[in-house]
Amino acid sequence: MIDRYSRQALFPGIGKEGQKKLGNSSVAIIGCGALGTVIATSLVRAGVGKVKIIDRDFIEYHNLQRQVLFDEEDIRNGLPKAIAAERHLKRVNSSVEVEGVVADVNYTNIERLVGNADIILDGLDNFETRFLINDVSLKHKIPWVYGGAISSSGMTMNIIPGKTPCFRCLSSNLTRRGTILTCDTAGVISPAPFIIGSLESVEAMKILVGAKEISCQLVVIDVWKGSFHHFEISPRQDCPACQGKYEFLEGKFGVRTTSLCGQNAVQVLNPGVGELSFKELAARLKVVGEVTYNEFMLNFAIDSQEMVIFPDGRAIVRNTTDESLARGLYAKYVGA
Ligand SMILES: [Zn+2]
């Protein structure tokens, strides 16, 4: 085993001691798209003892452009991402305990799913679940690494309970709700998530070995422009999460779904969203599907899926009774 990690242990930041610490560590990766596959690959190859990969989706052809762990055979076999990732990574490093979990992470199951992980890595494509990770992190004092990538850009930041501002502190500056871009509407080129996923991996390694060089700045990159910036983030004085109010974990906010009996449709509620701008949403969605709207509702159709969206963020997803699928489509196209 020493031989397998000899080059990594030669690096002074890790060393033999650090290698041992990695081997005794456990990580939870939530979301296994472009970011998640890069992070999982790095950490399993690096010899982290336990790697849990949680994702709700199946693999589609348009994922292969950037999701490095998957191939065409996985699609032919109809494998969920978490299972395909587990199978590939077990072949890479059989000494690591790799566990793929197919699940839609929400406030009822996230604490159980994260379990006693030493760190949580963000491979997500939606804000709602990040707020949940943030609550779990602060409540159980588990560090996490936020990361997101879209188009040619991305950002990442370490969130260490008690030491750094949290994700709610950060996000009050980042987003205007209801106008969040998603990969399915804005597109993405692979080097953006590759770099952000790599930065998340190295921060995870540093936190796990107890390195001194742990930054709490927000890193923002644009691979097309070749830019790389660091920003100091200040804690928010009135941040509920920092004051021990875990509102997302209590299920107070966030997306909720209800299957509408006999209608073959699922209703999606998103109480935190505020007033949506149909004009902006329509401009994004018409790139990928058909959109019509008036002041009361917006109709969006893509492939066999149809969605009706209301100004308060509520949506009806038609032609399905699968609540998890409806949440996924909502996160993809409206942004949660
Ligand atoms: Zn905070």
Side-chain angles (χ1 to χ4, degrees):
M1 278 306 119
I2 293 296
D3 210 33
R4 177 192 282 263
Y5 306 116
S6 63
R7 301 304 185 273
Q8 184 168 287
L10 268 176
F11 173 71
I14 304 280
K16 281 188 182 156
E17 273 310 300
Q19 191 60 52
K20 247 187 237 164
K21 284 182 187 164
L22 291 179
N24 291 327
S25 299
S26 159
V27 307
I29 302 168
I30 305 190
C32 195
L35 291 171
T37 51
V38 168
I39 299 165
T41 303
S42 308
L43 297 184
V44 167
R45 287 180 191 271
V48 168
K50 272 171 111 175
V51 176
K52 190 189 256 193
I53 302 161
I54 308 156
D55 191 282
R56 66 183 170 197
D57 281 332
F58 283 80
I59 307 161
E60 297 171 87
Y61 277 98
H62 64 81
N63 297 148
L64 299 184
Q65 166 249 359
R66 65 193 180 283
Q67 302 186 7
V68 287
L69 268 178
F70 309 134
D71 57 36
E72 294 178 2
E73 205 179 323
D74 295 327
I75 299 177
R76 283 193 292 274
N77 291 334
L79 292 182
K81 292 181 180 180
I83 301 304
E86 180 191 299
R87 289 189 186 172
H88 285 291
L89 289 170
K90 278 183 167 164
R91 286 202 290 271
V92 170
N93 192 342
S94 57
S95 66
V96 171
E97 202 181 305
V98 185
E99 185 191 359
V101 180
V102 185
D104 173 48
V105 175
N106 58 57
Y107 76 97
T108 65
N109 62 11
I110 187 166
E111 285 176 288
R112 180 175 53 79
L113 288 170
V114 167
N116 55 0
D118 297 303
I119 188 168
I120 307 167
L121 282 312
D122 175 5
L124 288 163
D125 58 0
N126 71 83
F127 274 82
E128 186 206 346
T129 317
R130 291 190 179 114
F131 286 116
L132 273 178
I133 295 181
N134 192 60
D135 277 0
V136 171
S137 152
L138 295 180
K139 184 176 172 187
H140 298 285
K141 312 242 176 315
I142 305 169
W144 72 285
V145 184
Y146 154 63
I150 195 160
S151 186
S152 63
S153 63
M155 53 179 79
T156 178
M157 184 175 132
N158 294 332
I159 292 160
I160 304 183
K163 286 192 181 157
T164 67
C166 82
F167 188 68
R168 280 189 86 172
C169 297
L170 170 68
S171 69
S172 55
N173 307 308
L174 281 186
T175 59
R176 205 148 54 82
R177 284 184 164 262
T179 57
I180 300 166
L181 295 171
T182 77
C183 282
D184 295 276
T185 55
V188 59
I189 53 173
S190 63
F194 288 179
I195 290 183
I196 294 295
S198 298
L199 291 174
E200 288 190 66
S201 306
V202 75
E203 292 305 320
M205 290 164 83
K206 283 157 66 179
I207 292 168
L208 291 174
V209 304
K212 289 190 182 72
E213 305 88 343
I214 294 165
S215 144
C216 50
Q217 288 178 321
L218 175 73
V219 178
V220 180
I221 63 159
D222 187 315
V223 294
W224 201 257
K225 292 181 187 150
S227 64
F228 207 104
H229 296 287
H230 293 80
F231 298 95
E232 210 63 60
I233 301 297
S234 10
R236 214 180 101 187
Q237 293 313 319
D238 61 343
C239 173
C242 282
Q243 288 165 19
K245 285 192 207 122
Y246 309 122
E247 295 169 313
F248 286 86
L249 199 50
E250 287 160 10
K252 198 167 163 188
F253 306 124
V255 174
R256 288 176 192 212
T257 50
T258 329
S259 186
L260 302 176
C261 282
Q263 292 185 38
N264 193 26
V266 176
Q267 174 171 265
V268 183
L269 293 177
N270 190 5
V273 80
E275 190 83 357
L276 283 178
S277 159
F278 280 169
K279 201 177 158 199
E280 286 176 37
L281 188 59
R284 286 196 284 122
L285 293 180
K286 73 177 183 207
V287 182
V288 288
E290 278 176 48
V291 185
T292 54
Y293 70 97
N294 58 26
E295 63 185 296
F296 309 108
M297 60 171 99
L298 181 147
N299 282 279
F300 171 57
I302 180 164
D303 306 326
S304 62
Q305 308 293 345
E306 230 181 278
M307 213 187 283
V308 183
I309 304 158
F310 300 91
D312 62 356
R314 187 168 65 91
I316 308 281
V317 181
R318 291 198 174 125
N319 308 325
T320 184
T321 51
D322 182 341
E323 295 186 30
S324 173
L325 175 81
R327 290 167 69 91
L329 288 169
Y330 188 91
K332 257 185 185 179
Y333 296 113
V334 185

